Amino acid sequence: MVEKKKDGLTRRDFVKGAAAGLGGAAVLGFPGIVKAQAKTIKWRMQNSYPSTVEAGKFATLWAKSITEITGGRLTVEYNEPGAIVPVPETFQNVSNGTIDCTVSFATFYRGIMPESDIEVGLPFAWISPEEAHDAYYNRGLLEEFRKIYAEHNIFYACPTYCNIYYGMHTVKPVRKPSDFKGLKMRDMGISAEWLAHYGASPLSLPAGEMYMALKMKTIDGVHYGVKVLEDLKLGEVCKYFLIEPNPGTTVMNLFTSMKAYNALPDDLKKIVKDFSLSMVLPVVVGWDENRAIISVKKKYGVEFVSWSKEDSAKSRAYMIEKLWPKVAAKSARCKKLVDIVTQQAKEYGKI
């Protein structure tokens, strides 16, 4: 199949950029690395995820990369979640310029931006980072979300692709859909509505608070990637992980204050706009969930649960046939975005 390419990367570029990492700066053609600049531009970045978890590495790597690649002309000061403002308020504070940049997850501000359900990945849409990348860089999602974020005074630099297995960590086994009934589950977005359909009670909670909430039995489970069983030691309190049905890859984001972005000289704008993805791709490649599965089975005795083929098929159909259209019905813009994802799924033979 011929690879499509707009202003983004083909899959070959995706792999090449990830392998190059920081050492590939010259090869990838970063402009302005040796240009002189009398005044250093300093940005403050607050992460939405602790740097101790895989999701938190996007921000730390990008902050370090930007500073080094620009020779310190653009220096990014990294801050852990909550160091400047509460995590749920990060979006608003980048919008108003209190924070210059962040890595976040759009469902944190779903009430402000209804398109977030599509941005983070409609459940069962993408089974790999490559499929998410195809939607963003070859099918127009990147351009659409840059327009949307601009309306909130934010420059959307790039998506950051996450999990392959984005399942349910639970304190007791969920072997069939009805086992969700009565469980309090940390989840956000359209997948929370999927849980509610089966009788669970979804609630929002920052990642850093999940362990204690589970330990204190405030919640019964979380919807998250498999690696937090290790990274946040959730394997100590969650002995079960629902791996099938698997909603698939999720997408975080990296964005900056529009005011801060517009104040940059053109060569630094180009680095932020065109090369941010190349800087964070090494995190995607290093996100080894298959190794994590082996490790947590051995270390914590976690059981990976799969529903029957019939139950999995029904749950997937409910999401695609009932909840995807619900997202599309929110606005003409949401419909346009859902149509892009739906067309991609059809071409992949998923629906």
Side-chain angles (χ1 to χ4, degrees):
M1 183 177 72
V2 177
E3 294 178 295
K4 290 183 283 185
K5 182 173 182 179
K6 273 190 173 181
D7 63 346
L9 310 174
T10 63
R11 177 168 179 172
R12 186 176 296 106
D13 295 326
F14 181 95
V15 176
K16 179 182 176 182
L22 297 180
V27 176
L28 290 168
F30 288 104
I33 295 175
V34 296
K35 284 187 179 180
Q37 180 172 294
K39 184 179 179 181
T40 297
I41 298 171
K42 294 183 179 180
W43 278 7
R44 291 198 306 169
M45 176 182 224
Q46 179 177 294
N47 204 351
S48 296
Y49 294 85
S51 58
T52 52
V53 304
E54 206 72 23
K57 293 179 182 178
F58 289 114
T60 56
L61 180 58
W62 186 81
K64 182 175 184 290
S65 302
I66 282 286
T67 302
E68 291 183 353
I69 287 165
T70 64
R73 292 173 59 210
L74 176 55
T75 299
V76 180
E77 174 194 280
Y78 172 84
N79 292 275
E80 288 287 336
I84 305 173
V85 299
V87 170
E89 299 174 14
T90 304
F91 177 86
Q92 297 93 315
N93 279 275
V94 174
S95 177
N96 65 29
T98 301
I99 301 171
D100 296 302
C101 50
T102 190
V103 168
S104 190
F105 194 58
T107 49
F108 282 129
Y109 40 90
R110 188 187 186 212
I112 302 172
M113 205 180 84
E115 300 88 357
S116 66
D117 283 323
I118 306 104
E119 184 195 337
V120 302
L122 290 169
F124 304 108
W126 303 318
I127 63 168
S128 67
E130 289 90 345
E131 289 188 2
H133 181 78
D134 177 43
Y136 270 87
Y137 282 85
N138 299 327
R139 297 173 185 268
L141 286 191
L142 179 64
E143 293 91 340
E144 292 299 324
F145 280 107
R146 281 184 170 165
K147 293 174 188 175
I148 293 166
Y149 276 81
E151 294 171 6
H152 297 277
N153 300 313
I154 289 173
F155 176 72
Y156 185 98
C158 71
T160 57
Y161 314 122
C162 304
N163 321 82
I164 297 174
Y165 303 112
Y166 194 60
M168 305 290 173
H169 309 251
T170 55
V171 296
K172 66 178 185 178
V174 177
R175 302 193 188 281
K176 56 186 182 300
S178 60
D179 288 343
F180 272 125
K181 188 173 182 179
L183 296 187
K184 298 184 292 294
M185 297 290 299
R186 184 265 190 191
D187 200 3
M188 300 176 288
I190 196 68
S191 62
E193 297 187 35
W194 182 81
L195 282 174
H197 172 68
Y198 293 120
S201 298
L203 53 90
S204 178
L205 191 71
E209 299 177 20
M210 294 189 304
Y211 179 90
M212 286 306 299
L214 287 161
K215 189 171 183 178
M216 299 300 292
K217 300 182 180 180
T218 306
I219 59 175
D220 302 299
V222 302
H223 187 190
Y224 217 92
V226 69
K227 274 190 67 64
V228 294
L229 287 164
E230 279 188 306
D231 295 342
L232 292 180
K233 299 183 178 180
L234 292 196
E236 293 180 357
V237 284
C238 285
K239 298 300 181 182
Y240 303 93
F241 184 91
L242 180 62
I243 197 168
E244 175 58 40
N246 174 31
T249 294
T250 54
V251 176
M252 294 161 55
N253 51 36
L254 196 161
F255 57 83
T256 80
S257 156
M258 187 64 79
K259 180 180 179 181
Y261 175 76
N262 285 337
L264 294 175
D266 288 345
D267 63 318
L268 295 188
K269 280 184 183 176
K270 183 172 180 60
I271 290 176
V272 173
K273 177 176 182 286
D274 294 336
F275 298 105
S276 284
L277 181 67
S278 299
M279 297 180 210
V280 299
L281 278 179
V283 177
V284 181
V285 174
W287 202 312
D288 190 350
E289 293 178 302
N290 289 312
R291 185 205 59 77
I293 289 173
I294 296 169
S295 176
V296 298
K297 282 182 179 180
K298 181 178 180 180
K299 185 174 183 179
Y300 297 118
V302 173
E303 179 186 344
F304 287 81
V305 178
S306 295
W307 287 354
S308 69
K309 289 183 179 180
E310 181 182 4
D311 282 340
S312 289
K314 286 181 178 179
S315 69
R316 184 176 180 276
Y318 179 79
M319 174 60 73
I320 294 173
E321 295 171 10
K322 300 294 183 182
L323 296 184
W324 284 21
K326 185 175 180 179
V327 174
K330 290 181 179 181
S331 68
R333 176 179 269 167
C334 282
K335 184 180 185 306
K336 179 180 180 180
L337 297 172
V338 172
D339 284 348
I340 290 172
V341 176
T342 301
Q343 180 59 35
Q344 180 192 32
K346 287 179 179 177
E347 290 180 19
Y348 284 0
K350 294 181 179 182
I351 58 176

Coordinates of all heavy atoms in Angstrom, one line a residue, residues 112-174:
I112 N -15.1 21.6 28.6 CA -14.8 22.8 27.8 C -14.7 22.6 26.4 O -15.1 23.4 25.5 CB -13.5 23.4 28.3 CG1 -13.6 23.8 29.8 CG2 -13.1 24.7 27.6 CD1 -12.2 24.1 30.4
M113 N -14.2 21.4 26.0 CA -13.9 21.1 24.6 C -14.5 19.7 24.3 O -14.0 18.7 24.5 CB -12.4 21.0 24.4 CG -12.0 21.3 23.0 SD -10.2 21.2 22.8 CE -9.9 19.5 22.6
P114 N -15.7 19.7 23.7 CA -16.4 18.4 23.4 C -15.7 17.5 22.4 O -16.0 16.3 22.4 CB -17.8 18.9 22.9 CG -17.6 20.3 22.5 CD -16.6 20.9 23.4
E115 N -14.8 18.1 21.6 CA -14.1 17.3 20.6 C -13.1 16.4 21.3 O -12.4 15.6 20.6 CB -13.4 18.2 19.6 CG -14.4 19.1 18.9 CD -14.7 20.5 19.6 OE1 -14.1 20.7 20.7 OE2 -15.4 21.3 19.0
S116 N -12.9 16.5 22.6 CA -11.8 15.7 23.3 C -12.0 14.2 23.1 O -11.0 13.5 23.1 CB -11.8 16.1 24.8 OG -13.0 15.7 25.4
D117 N -13.3 13.8 23.1 CA -13.5 12.3 22.9 C -12.8 11.7 21.7 O -12.3 10.6 21.7 CB -15.0 12.0 22.9 CG -15.6 12.1 24.3 OD1 -15.0 11.7 25.2 OD2 -16.8 12.5 24.3
I118 N -12.8 12.5 20.6 CA -12.2 12.1 19.4 C -10.7 12.2 19.5 O -9.9 11.4 19.0 CB -12.7 12.8 18.1 CG1 -14.2 12.7 18.1 CG2 -12.1 12.2 16.8 CD1 -15.0 14.0 18.5
E119 N -10.2 13.3 20.1 CA -8.8 13.6 20.2 C -8.0 12.5 20.9 O -7.0 12.0 20.5 CB -8.5 14.9 20.9 CG -7.0 15.3 20.9 CD -6.7 16.4 21.9 OE1 -7.6 17.2 22.2 OE2 -5.5 16.4 22.3
V120 N -8.6 12.0 22.0 CA -7.9 11.0 22.9 C -8.0 9.6 22.3 O -7.3 8.7 22.7 CB -8.4 11.0 24.3 CG1 -8.3 12.4 25.0 CG2 -9.9 10.5 24.4
G121 N -8.9 9.5 21.3 CA -9.0 8.2 20.6 C -10.4 7.6 21.0 O -10.6 7.2 22.1
L122 N -11.3 7.5 20.0 CA -12.5 6.8 20.3 C -12.2 5.3 20.6 O -11.4 4.7 19.9 CB -13.4 6.9 19.0 CG -14.0 8.3 18.7 CD1 -14.7 8.3 17.4 CD2 -15.0 8.7 19.8
P123 N -12.8 4.8 21.7 CA -12.5 3.4 22.0 C -12.7 2.4 20.8 O -13.7 2.6 20.2 CB -13.4 3.1 23.2 CG -13.6 4.5 23.8 CD -13.6 5.4 22.7
F124 N -11.8 1.6 20.6 CA -11.8 0.6 19.5 C -11.4 1.2 18.2 O -11.5 0.5 17.2 CB -13.1 -0.2 19.5 CG -13.5 -0.9 20.8 CD1 -14.5 -0.4 21.6 CD2 -12.8 -2.0 21.2 CE1 -14.8 -1.0 22.8 CE2 -13.1 -2.6 22.4 CZ -14.1 -2.1 23.2
A125 N -11.0 2.4 18.1 CA -10.7 3.0 16.8 C -9.3 2.7 16.4 O -9.0 2.3 15.2 CB -10.8 4.6 16.9
W126 N -8.3 2.7 17.3 CA -6.9 2.5 17.0 C -6.3 1.4 17.8 O -6.4 1.5 19.0 CB -6.1 3.8 17.1 CG -6.7 5.0 16.4 CD1 -7.1 5.0 15.1 CD2 -6.8 6.3 16.8 NE1 -7.6 6.2 14.7 CE2 -7.4 7.1 15.8 CE3 -6.5 7.0 18.0 CZ2 -7.7 8.4 15.9 CZ3 -6.8 8.3 18.1 CH2 -7.4 9.1 17.1
I127 N -5.7 0.5 17.2 CA -5.0 -0.6 18.0 C -3.5 -0.4 18.2 O -2.9 -1.2 18.8 CB -5.3 -2.0 17.4 CG1 -4.7 -2.1 16.0 CG2 -6.8 -2.3 17.3 CD1 -4.6 -3.5 15.4
S128 N -3.0 0.7 17.6 CA -1.6 0.9 17.7 C -1.3 2.4 17.5 O -2.1 3.1 17.0 CB -0.8 0.1 16.6 OG -1.1 0.6 15.3
P129 N -0.1 2.8 18.0 CA 0.3 4.2 17.7 C 0.3 4.6 16.2 O 0.0 5.7 15.8 CB 1.7 4.3 18.4 CG 1.6 3.3 19.5 CD 0.8 2.2 18.9
E130 N 0.7 3.6 15.4 CA 0.8 3.8 14.0 C -0.6 4.2 13.4 O -0.7 5.1 12.5 CB 1.3 2.6 13.2 CG 2.8 2.4 13.5 CD 3.1 1.5 14.6 OE1 2.2 1.3 15.5 OE2 4.3 1.0 14.7
E131 N -1.6 3.5 13.9 CA -3.0 3.8 13.4 C -3.4 5.2 13.9 O -4.1 6.0 13.1 CB -4.0 2.8 13.9 CG -3.8 1.4 13.2 CD -4.9 0.4 13.5 OE1 -5.8 0.8 14.2 OE2 -4.8 -0.7 13.0
A132 N -3.1 5.6 15.1 CA -3.4 6.9 15.6 C -2.6 8.0 14.8 O -3.2 9.0 14.4 CB -3.0 7.1 17.1
H133 N -1.4 7.7 14.5 CA -0.6 8.6 13.7 C -1.1 8.8 12.3 O -1.2 9.9 11.8 CB 0.9 8.0 13.6 CG 1.8 8.9 12.8 ND1 2.4 10.0 13.3 CD2 2.2 8.8 11.5 CE1 3.2 10.5 12.4 NE2 3.1 9.8 11.3
D134 N -1.6 7.7 11.7 CA -2.2 7.8 10.4 C -3.4 8.8 10.4 O -3.6 9.6 9.5 CB -2.7 6.4 9.9 CG -3.4 6.4 8.6 OD1 -3.0 7.1 7.7 OD2 -4.5 5.8 8.5
A135 N -4.2 8.7 11.4 CA -5.4 9.6 11.5 C -5.0 11.0 11.7 O -5.6 11.9 11.1 CB -6.3 9.1 12.7
Y136 N -4.0 11.3 12.5 CA -3.5 12.6 12.7 C -2.8 13.3 11.6 O -3.1 14.4 11.1 CB -2.7 12.7 14.0 CG -3.5 12.9 15.3 CD1 -4.0 11.8 15.9 CD2 -3.7 14.2 15.7 CE1 -4.8 12.0 17.1 CE2 -4.5 14.4 16.8 CZ -5.1 13.3 17.5 OH -5.9 13.5 18.6
Y137 N -1.8 12.6 11.0 CA -0.9 13.2 10.1 C -1.3 12.9 8.6 O -0.8 13.6 7.7 CB 0.5 12.7 10.4 CG 1.1 13.5 11.5 CD1 0.9 13.1 12.8 CD2 1.9 14.7 11.3 CE1 1.5 13.8 13.9 CE2 2.4 15.4 12.4 CZ 2.2 14.9 13.7 OH 2.7 15.6 14.7
N138 N -2.0 11.9 8.4 CA -2.4 11.6 7.0 C -3.9 11.9 6.6 O -4.2 11.9 5.5 CB -2.1 10.1 6.6 CG -0.6 9.8 6.8 OD1 0.3 10.7 6.5 ND2 -0.3 8.6 7.2
R139 N -4.7 12.0 7.7 CA -6.1 12.1 7.4 C -6.7 13.4 8.0 O -7.9 13.6 7.9 CB -6.9 10.9 8.0 CG -6.5 9.6 7.4 CD -7.1 8.4 8.1 NE -6.6 7.1 7.6 CZ -7.2 6.4 6.6 NH1 -8.3 6.9 6.1 NH2 -6.6 5.3 6.1
G140 N -5.9 14.3 8.5 CA -6.4 15.6 8.8 C -6.7 16.0 10.2 O -7.0 17.1 10.5
L141 N -6.5 15.0 11.2 CA -6.9 15.3 12.5 C -6.0 16.4 13.1 O -6.4 17.3 13.9 CB -6.9 14.1 13.4 CG -8.0 13.1 13.3 CD1 -7.9 12.1 14.4 CD2 -9.4 13.7 13.3
L142 N -4.7 16.4 12.8 CA -3.8 17.4 13.4 C -4.2 18.8 13.0 O -4.3 19.7 13.9 CB -2.4 17.1 12.9 CG -1.3 18.1 13.4 CD1 -1.2 18.0 14.9 CD2 0.0 17.9 12.7
E143 N -4.5 19.0 11.7 CA -4.9 20.4 11.3 C -6.2 20.8 12.0 O -6.4 21.9 12.4 CB -5.1 20.4 9.8 CG -3.9 20.2 9.0 CD -3.6 18.7 8.7 OE1 -4.1 17.9 9.3 OE2 -2.8 18.5 7.7
E144 N -7.2 19.8 12.1 CA -8.4 20.2 12.8 C -8.2 20.5 14.2 O -8.8 21.5 14.7 CB -9.4 19.0 12.6 CG -9.9 18.7 11.2 CD -10.6 19.8 10.6 OE1 -11.4 20.5 11.3 OE2 -10.4 20.1 9.4
F145 N -7.4 19.8 14.9 CA -7.2 20.1 16.4 C -6.4 21.3 16.6 O -6.6 22.0 17.6 CB -6.7 18.9 17.1 CG -7.8 17.9 17.4 CD1 -7.8 16.7 16.8 CD2 -8.7 18.2 18.4 CE1 -8.9 15.8 17.0 CE2 -9.8 17.3 18.7 CZ -9.8 16.1 18.0
R146 N -5.5 21.7 15.7 CA -4.8 22.9 15.8 C -5.8 24.1 15.7 O -5.7 25.1 16.4 CB -3.7 23.0 14.7 CG -2.5 22.2 15.2 CD -1.3 22.4 14.2 NE -0.1 21.8 14.8 CZ 1.0 21.5 14.2 NH1 1.1 21.7 12.8 NH2 2.0 21.0 14.8
K147 N -6.8 24.0 14.8 CA -7.8 25.0 14.7 C -8.6 25.1 16.0 O -8.9 26.2 16.5 CB -8.7 24.7 13.5 CG -8.1 24.8 12.1 CD -9.1 24.3 11.1 CE -8.4 24.2 9.7 NZ -9.4 23.6 8.7
I148 N -9.0 24.0 16.5 CA -9.8 24.0 17.7 C -9.1 24.6 18.9 O -9.7 25.4 19.6 CB -10.3 22.5 18.0 CG1 -11.2 22.0 16.9 CG2 -10.9 22.4 19.4 CD1 -11.5 20.5 17.0
Y149 N -7.9 24.2 19.1 CA -7.1 24.7 20.2 C -6.8 26.2 20.1 O -6.7 26.9 21.1 CB -5.8 23.9 20.4 CG -6.0 22.6 21.2 CD1 -6.5 21.5 20.7 CD2 -5.7 22.6 22.6 CE1 -6.7 20.3 21.4 CE2 -5.9 21.4 23.3 CZ -6.4 20.3 22.7 OH -6.6 19.1 23.5
A150 N -6.6 26.6 18.9 CA -6.4 28.0 18.6 C -7.5 28.9 19.1 O -7.3 30.0 19.6 CB -6.1 28.3 17.1
E151 N -8.7 28.4 19.1 CA -9.9 29.1 19.6 C -9.8 29.3 21.1 O -10.6 30.1 21.7 CB -11.2 28.4 19.2 CG -11.4 28.4 17.7 CD -12.5 27.5 17.2 OE1 -13.2 26.9 18.1 OE2 -12.7 27.3 16.0
H152 N -9.0 28.5 21.7 CA -8.8 28.6 23.2 C -7.5 29.2 23.5 O -7.0 29.1 24.7 CB -8.9 27.2 23.8 CG -10.2 26.5 23.7 ND1 -11.3 26.7 24.5 CD2 -10.6 25.6 22.7 CE1 -12.3 26.0 24.1 NE2 -11.9 25.3 23.0
N153 N -6.9 29.9 22.6 CA -5.6 30.6 22.8 C -4.5 29.6 23.1 O -3.6 29.9 23.9 CB -5.7 31.7 23.9 CG -6.7 32.7 23.6 OD1 -6.8 33.3 22.5 ND2 -7.6 33.0 24.5
I154 N -4.5 28.5 22.4 CA -3.5 27.4 22.6 C -3.0 27.0 21.3 O -3.8 26.8 20.3 CB -4.1 26.3 23.4 CG1 -4.4 26.7 24.9 CG2 -3.2 25.0 23.3 CD1 -5.2 25.6 25.6
F155 N -1.7 26.7 21.2 CA -1.1 26.1 20.0 C -0.9 24.6 20.3 O -0.2 24.3 21.2 CB 0.3 26.7 19.7 CG 0.9 26.0 18.5 CD1 0.4 26.2 17.2 CD2 2.0 25.2 18.7 CE1 0.9 25.5 16.1 CE2 2.6 24.5 17.6 CZ 2.0 24.7 16.3
Y156 N -1.5 23.8 19.5 CA -1.4 22.3 19.6 C -0.2 21.9 18.9 O -0.1 21.9 17.6 CB -2.7 21.7 19.0 CG -2.8 20.2 19.2 CD1 -3.5 19.7 20.2 CD2 -2.2 19.3 18.3 CE1 -3.7 18.3 20.4 CE2 -2.3 18.0 18.4 CZ -3.0 17.5 19.5 OH -3.2 16.1 19.6
A157 N 0.9 21.5 19.6 CA 2.1 21.1 19.0 C 2.1 19.8 18.3 O 2.4 19.6 17.2 CB 3.3 21.2 20.0
C158 N 1.7 18.8 19.1 CA 1.6 17.4 18.5 C 0.9 16.5 19.4 O 0.7 16.7 20.7 CB 3.0 16.9 18.3 SG 4.0 16.5 19.8
P159 N 0.4 15.4 18.9 CA -0.2 14.3 19.7 C 1.0 13.5 20.3 O 2.1 13.5 19.8 CB -1.0 13.4 18.7 CG -0.2 13.6 17.4 CD 0.3 15.1 17.5
T160 N 0.7 12.8 21.4 CA 1.7 11.9 22.0 C 1.0 10.5 22.2 O 0.0 10.4 22.9 CB 2.2 12.4 23.3 OG1 1.2 12.6 24.3 CG2 3.0 13.7 23.2
Y161 N 1.4 9.5 21.5 CA 0.7 8.3 21.4 C 1.1 7.4 22.6 O 2.2 7.3 23.0 CB 1.1 7.5 20.1 CG 1.0 8.4 18.9 CD1 2.1 8.6 18.1 CD2 -0.1 9.1 18.5 CE1 2.1 9.4 17.0 CE2 -0.2 9.9 17.4 CZ 0.9 10.0 16.6 OH 0.9 10.8 15.5
C162 N 0.1 6.7 23.1 CA 0.3 6.0 24.4 C 0.1 4.5 24.3 O 0.8 3.9 23.5 CB -0.7 6.5 25.4 SG -0.6 8.3 25.7
N163 N -0.8 4.0 25.0 CA -0.9 2.5 25.3 C -1.4 1.7 24.0 O -2.0 2.2 23.1 CB -2.0 2.3 26.3 CG -1.9 3.4 27.4 OD1 -2.5 4.5 27.3 ND2 -1.2 3.1 28.5
I164 N -1.0 0.4 24.1 CA -1.6 -0.6 23.2 C -2.7 -1.3 24.0 O -3.7 -1.6 23.5 CB -0.5 -1.6 22.8 CG1 0.6 -0.9 21.9 CG2 -1.1 -2.7 22.0 CD1 1.7 -1.8 21.6
Y165 N -2.4 -1.6 25.3 CA -3.4 -2.2 26.1 C -3.9 -1.1 27.2 O -3.3 -0.8 28.1 CB -2.9 -3.4 26.9 CG -2.3 -4.4 26.0 CD1 -0.9 -4.7 26.0 CD2 -3.1 -5.2 25.2 CE1 -0.3 -5.6 25.1 CE2 -2.5 -6.2 24.3 CZ -1.2 -6.4 24.3 OH -0.6 -7.3 23.5
Y166 N -5.1 -0.6 26.9 CA -5.7 0.4 27.8 C -6.9 -0.2 28.4 O -8.0 0.0 28.0 CB -6.0 1.7 27.0 CG -6.3 2.9 27.8 CD1 -5.3 3.4 28.6 CD2 -7.5 3.6 27.8 CE1 -5.5 4.5 29.4 CE2 -7.8 4.7 28.5 CZ -6.8 5.2 29.4 OH -7.0 6.3 30.1
G167 N -6.7 -0.9 29.5 CA -7.7 -1.7 30.0 C -8.1 -1.3 31.4 O -7.8 -0.2 31.9
M168 N -8.9 -2.2 32.1 CA -9.4 -1.9 33.4 C -8.7 -2.7 34.5 O -8.6 -3.9 34.5 CB -10.9 -2.3 33.4 CG -11.7 -1.7 32.3 SD -12.0 0.1 32.6 CE -12.8 0.5 31.0
H169 N -8.0 -1.9 35.4 CA -7.4 -2.5 36.6 C -8.5 -2.6 37.7 O -9.1 -1.6 38.0 CB -6.3 -1.6 37.1 CG -5.3 -1.2 36.1 ND1 -4.0 -1.6 36.1 CD2 -5.4 -0.3 35.0 CE1 -3.4 -1.1 35.1 NE2 -4.2 -0.3 34.4
T170 N -8.7 -3.7 38.2 CA -9.8 -3.9 39.2 C -9.3 -4.7 40.5 O -8.4 -5.5 40.4 CB -11.0 -4.6 38.6 OG1 -10.6 -5.8 38.1 CG2 -11.7 -3.7 37.6
V171 N -10.0 -4.4 41.6 CA -9.6 -5.1 42.8 C -10.3 -6.5 42.9 O -9.9 -7.3 43.7 CB -10.0 -4.3 44.1 CG1 -9.2 -3.0 44.1 CG2 -11.5 -4.0 44.1
K172 N -11.3 -6.7 42.1 CA -11.9 -8.0 41.9 C -12.1 -8.3 40.5 O -12.2 -7.4 39.7 CB -13.2 -8.1 42.7 CG -14.3 -7.3 42.2 CD -15.6 -7.5 43.1 CE -16.8 -6.8 42.5 NZ -18.0 -7.0 43.4
P173 N -12.2 -9.6 40.1 CA -12.3 -9.9 38.7 C -13.6 -9.5 38.0 O -14.6 -9.6 38.6 CB -12.1 -11.5 38.6 CG -12.6 -11.9 40.0 CD -12.2 -10.8 40.9
V174 N -13.4 -9.0 36.8 CA -14.6 -8.6 36.0 C -14.6 -9.6 34.8 O -13.9 -9.3 33.7 CB -14.5 -7.1 35.5 CG1 -15.7 -6.8 34.6 CG2 -14.5 -6.2 36.7

